[in-house]
Amino acid sequence: MSADRDLRERTFAFSLRVMNLAKTLAKEPSARVIRDQVLRSALSIGANYRESCHSRSVADFISRIKICEGEADETHYWLGLLKKGELVRPERLDALEQEAYELACIFSTISINTQKKNRETKKKPR
């Protein structure tokens, strides 16, 4: 399986897992606000990654990948808040937090490597 396909499936599966978590959150105001925020950020990761696969330029690709990185980091934040605020049992969040962290790292690496490769390509004599 290609890395692109694997990451598409991984971000899609992550979105589904967060959606399932959101269904279980209490109806109290603070839980609703966090639910909405974590849903927005988590679902944005996969959507922006898919958009990056159809980028029109290297700059556009990097920009979208950086959005993915930021959304994964934000999702990690909201999941941590759910845990520390004791709105969800910690064991329900551990794997999701780990996945959000790993996705942020993956997108950071993609961004760095793409920027580096782009700089090297521009330096080569024609």
Side-chain angles (χ1 to χ4, degrees), residues 11 14-15 18 37-47 71 75:
T11 56
F14 181 69
S15 293
V18 172
Q37 289 296 124
V38 76
L39 277 171
R40 280 187 194 99
S41 61
L43 276 58
S44 176
I45 299 166
E71 295 290 350
T75 302

Side-chain angles (χ1 to χ4, degrees), residues 17 83 89-100:
R17 289 169 56 203
K83 182 189 282 185
R89 291 186 327 270
E91 60 273 8
R92 285 219 50 214
L93 294 172
D94 290 340
L96 283 172
E97 278 187 301
Q98 182 63 33
E99 182 68 352

Side-chain angles (χ1 to χ4, degrees), residues 68-80:
C68 295
E69 177 187 354
E71 295 290 350
D73 187 54
E74 181 179 340
T75 302
H76 188 264
Y77 170 81
W78 294 118
L79 292 170

